[in-house]
Amino acid sequence: MATDNKIQFWKRNAKVPASFLKEAPKTNALSIKSKKASSFLEFARSTSDAWDIGDDEEEEFLGGPPPNTPPNLNSKVAVATAAQVIHNYSKVREKPEWPQSTERVQANGSVVKSNSAAQLSQPSDGSSFRKPLHKQQSLPLRPVIPLIARISDQNASGAPPMAVREKTRLEKFRQLLASQNTDLEELRRCSWSGIPREFRPITWRLLSGYLPANMERREIVLKRKRDEYFGFIEQYYDSRNEEHHQDTYRQIHIDIPRTNPLIPLFQQAPVQEVFERILFIWAIRHPASGYVQGINDLVTPFFVVFLSEFVEEDVENFDVTVLPQHVQRNIEADSFWCMSKLLDGIQDNYTFAQPGIQTKVKALEELVSRIDEHVHNHFQKYEVEYLQFAFRWMNNLLMRELPLRCTIRLWDTYQAEAEGFSHFHLYICAAFLIKWRKEILEAVDFQGLLLLLQNLPTIHWGNEEVGLLLAEAYRLKYMFADAPSHYRR
C-alpha cells in the first residue's frame, strides 16, 4: 500500500514543486486520504525519492506545444515583417546608438557612472555585446548573503548601512560595557534590537550569566571557569570508550558531521573534536537527560560568536588552526559554559520523553488556534499534527529553519528577553508559522503541507526579516501571555 501511494503521489506531481500542489484535483487528495497516505510515517517513507524524476518523464512534462499557441501568420505579412526587421538591424549595425550614461556625484566630489552605463560599455575588440541570459537572471536580483559573515551588520538587501542611530547604539554599548559595574537591565534593553558584532561576545557572556557584572571580577571568573572545564576534560573524557558511555559518545560522534554540513568551518577536524568534547562532558554531567540529538546544534552560535572576536574575514571559511592554542581553548571553554547556561533553562526539553517539547508544541497549537483559526482548521482538514513539524522547531530552537546569521541575531533577543529560550520562543514559532499563512492555505494535501513546513524558503533572510518576526512575536506575547481568556479556546 505504501509503495502504491508513493508512486501515485509523485506520478501526479512529477516536476511540480510543493508550492504548486494546490493545482492537483481535490479527488486526488481525497483518494490519498482514504488510503491513509496522510499519515506521517507513510509520508516519511514516500519522500525518499521525491525529486528523482527520469529523463523520459522530463521530456513528457516539457514536451508538446503550449495550449494557447497562436495560429500561423499570413506568409506575406511574415516576409514583410522580416524584411523590415533586417533593414532596421542593418541601421543599428552601421551606427549604434547607446543610451547616454547617467552619472552621479558622490559626497567627496568623485563622479561615478551608473550601473546601467557600466553594463552598456563595450569591449574594443568588437566582441558580441549580448551576453547569454542565465536562468537566474530571470528572477529578481538579490545578493547572496553569506551564511555567517557579517552576522551582526548584514541586512536583507546585503548592504550594511552605518546610520547615525547605529553609531549612537555603538556608543551606548561601549559606555555600558566600560563601566565598573555593568547595568545588566539596561544592557538587555539595548540588546533586544540586536547587538553590534564587536560587542556581541562580551555581551552574550554577561547576559547568559557566565560573567559577573563587576569588571574587576571578570578575569578571575574566566580563568577559574576555563580551568574547571579542562579539569572535566582530564577527569572524564577518557571514559568515552568505557562500556556505559559508549552509546553516548557514538551518537555524538555520528551527529557532529551533520551539524551545519554546508558550512566549511564545521567540517574541520579540530572544530569537530571541540564539539565532541563539549557535548560529551555536558552529557555525563547531566545524567537526567544525557545527550539528545539536537543539542549539537545549540553549540554552534556560541562557538561562532566567540570565534568572531579573533576573525575579521568570513568566519564560515576560517581555519581555526591558525589561532594560538590558548585562544582555541578559551573559545571551547566559553562555548561549553554558555551552552550549559542555556540548557539549564530548557532541560525538560531533553529529559525522558521530552515533556518540555510536548508541552510547548501543545501550547503552540492552542495559540495558533486563537490567532489564526483558518490555518489551524487547514491543518485539521488535512490531518497535519503540529508535532510533525513543530517538534524540530522546539528541539533545535528553529536552527534548522533559519540561516545561522539569523539564529545569532535571534539569540541576541533571546538573551535579552526574560525566559527568552524557554518562553518567548513559543511566540517566535507562532509568528514564524503565520508568516507562511498564504503558502500554507494554498497547499491542498498532507504531503504538500509537510514538504512546505519542513523546507521553508529562508535562505535569503537577514536582519530585516528577523526584526519583523521579533516584532510580531512581541505583539503576540503582549496580547496572549498574560491573558488566559484570550489564550484558551
Side-chain angles (χ1 to χ4, degrees):
M1 179 67 71
T3 304
D4 294 338
N5 289 340
K6 179 173 68 173
I7 294 174
Q8 291 174 9
F9 171 74
W10 293 113
K11 264 307 189 190
R12 284 195 304 272
N13 299 284
K15 292 290 181 180
V16 181
S19 60
F20 295 124
L21 291 177
K22 62 181 183 297
E23 299 176 1
K26 293 184 178 179
T27 55
N28 290 344
L30 293 174
S31 65
I32 293 172
K33 188 175 176 181
S34 65
K35 294 180 182 179
K36 299 184 181 298
S38 61
S39 70
F40 180 65
L41 292 177
E42 183 69 13
F43 166 76
R45 289 193 296 267
S46 68
T47 55
S48 60
D49 61 344
W51 306 110
D52 187 15
I53 307 299
D55 293 337
D56 54 341
E57 291 176 325
E58 181 176 2
E59 293 172 0
E60 179 181 350
F61 181 80
L62 297 174
N68 298 323
T69 302
N72 294 332
L73 296 173
N74 182 282
S75 59
K76 293 182 179 180
V77 175
V79 170
T81 303
Q84 184 63 37
V85 170
I86 293 172
H87 177 69
N88 293 340
Y89 181 71
S90 63
K91 287 185 176 181
V92 174
R93 293 279 292 180
E94 293 171 0
K95 186 179 180 181
E97 296 182 2
W98 300 107
Q100 294 182 353
S101 62
T102 57
E103 297 179 344
R104 56 186 174 88
V105 181
Q106 291 184 328
N108 60 7
S110 60
V111 179
V112 181
K113 288 187 177 182
S114 68
N115 291 336
S116 59
Q119 292 170 359
L120 290 175
S121 61
Q122 299 302 305
S124 59
D125 59 359
S127 59
S128 175
F129 63 88
R130 177 170 298 189
K131 296 181 180 180
L133 180 65
H134 297 291
K135 188 173 183 179
Q136 295 89 330
Q137 290 176 291
S138 63
L139 299 174
L141 184 61
R142 187 169 194 174
V144 176
I145 306 176
L147 291 175
I148 301 177
R150 299 184 299 279
I151 47 182
S152 64
D153 303 315
Q154 189 70 53
N155 58 24
S157 65
M162 177 61 75
V164 174
R165 178 175 175 273
E166 184 63 18
K167 291 180 180 178
T168 304
R169 289 185 70 247
L170 285 172
E171 185 58 32
K172 180 68 174 178
F173 272 96
R174 189 174 287 109
Q175 291 176 1
L176 281 170
L177 296 173
S179 62
Q180 191 66 25
N181 288 283
T182 302
D183 186 344
L184 294 181
E185 286 304 313
E186 184 63 25
L187 185 62
R188 287 190 178 94
R189 280 193 289 270
C190 293
S191 301
W192 206 98
S193 57
I195 305 171
R197 171 175 175 156
E198 61 188 281
F199 300 120
R200 181 176 277 125
I202 181 65
T203 302
W204 276 28
R205 292 186 184 103
L206 286 165
L207 295 183
S208 66
Y210 174 44
L211 275 187
N214 184 275
M215 182 180 291
E216 292 181 355
R217 295 181 54 225
R218 289 177 192 168
E219 286 300 322
I220 299 173
V221 170
L222 275 179
K223 184 179 186 311
R224 176 172 59 82
K225 299 297 284 185
R226 288 166 177 171
D227 291 344
E228 185 179 358
Y229 168 73
F230 285 102
F232 294 152
I233 296 292
E234 294 177 3
Q235 182 178 357
Y236 298 117
Y237 194 59
D238 287 340
S239 67
R240 66 190 184 279
N241 296 318
E242 297 177 4
E243 184 177 355
H244 58 290
H245 288 151
Q246 279 184 349
D247 289 342
T248 297
Y249 180 72
R250 184 184 301 112
Q251 188 61 60
I252 292 172
H253 190 71
I254 290 172
D255 288 346
I256 292 302
R258 302 172 180 171
T259 305
N260 293 293
L262 299 180
I263 301 178
L265 173 68
F266 299 114
Q267 302 310 306
Q268 299 176 34
V271 174
Q272 294 185 354
E273 292 169 4
V274 166
F275 279 37
E276 285 184 359
R277 289 193 291 268
I278 289 174
L279 294 171
F280 181 77
I281 296 301
W282 188 89
I284 63 175
R285 294 190 70 246
H286 296 81
S289 61
Y291 173 75
V292 177
Q293 285 180 299
I295 295 179
N296 56 305
D297 287 328
L298 306 184
V299 186
T300 57
F302 293 112
F303 184 82
V304 168
V305 167
F306 298 144
L307 178 62
S308 68
E309 279 187 286
F310 309 96
V311 180
E312 293 296 332
E313 65 263 29
D314 294 349
V315 180
E316 61 193 36
N317 296 306
F318 183 74
D319 181 5
V320 296
T321 60
V322 304
L323 292 174
Q325 190 63 32
H326 75 277
V327 171
Q328 297 181 44
R329 288 167 60 89
N330 291 344
I331 292 172
E332 177 177 346
D334 293 354
S335 299
F336 169 80
W337 286 115
C338 288
M339 186 200 73
S340 299
K341 292 287 187 181
L342 184 162
L343 289 172
D344 286 347
I346 57 173
Q347 192 170 353
D348 61 341
N349 284 7
Y350 306 105
T351 54
F352 178 73
Q354 299 182 267
I357 291 180
Q358 303 278 351
T359 301
K360 290 179 176 69
V361 171
K362 184 62 179 176
L364 177 65
E365 181 177 358
E366 291 286 337
L367 182 58
V368 173
S369 70
R370 297 297 301 160
I371 63 179
D372 198 322
E373 191 173 2
H374 292 293
V375 169
H376 180 72
N377 291 340
H378 195 69
F379 286 152
Q380 289 186 325
K381 178 180 179 181
Y382 294 106
E383 300 182 358
V384 174
E385 299 290 338
Y386 284 76
L387 201 63
Q388 293 165 351
F389 63 89
F391 179 89
R392 190 171 76 179
W393 296 9
M394 302 298 178
N395 189 61
N396 301 82
L397 298 178
L398 285 177
M399 288 195 62
R400 299 289 178 89
E401 277 59 48
L402 297 172
L404 184 53
R405 62 178 176 274
C406 295
T407 296
I408 291 172
R409 168 62 192 91
L410 191 63
W411 283 24
D412 286 347
T413 302
Y414 282 1
Q415 299 270 15
E417 182 76 22
E419 299 181 321
F421 293 98
S422 60
H423 184 62
F424 188 59
H425 181 68
L426 168 67
Y427 299 96
I428 288 289
C429 289
F432 186 67
L433 182 64
I434 302 306
K435 167 74 172 66
W436 309 102
R437 182 181 192 276
K438 178 176 178 292
E439 291 81 358
I440 289 171
L441 296 179
E442 287 176 348
V444 293
D445 59 15
F446 176 87
Q447 286 87 351
L449 281 165
L450 261 293
L451 280 174
L452 170 67
L453 293 168
Q454 293 177 355
N455 299 277
L456 292 166
T458 61
I459 188 62
H460 286 293
W461 274 34
N463 279 358
E464 182 180 343
E465 288 84 355
V466 175
L468 293 173
L469 183 68
L470 286 165
E472 178 62 15
Y474 183 82
R475 185 185 72 86
L476 293 176
K477 179 189 174 186
Y478 183 81
M479 291 175 60
F480 292 97
D482 299 319
S485 59
H486 290 174
Y487 186 83
R488 298 195 182 104
R489 300 187 68 182

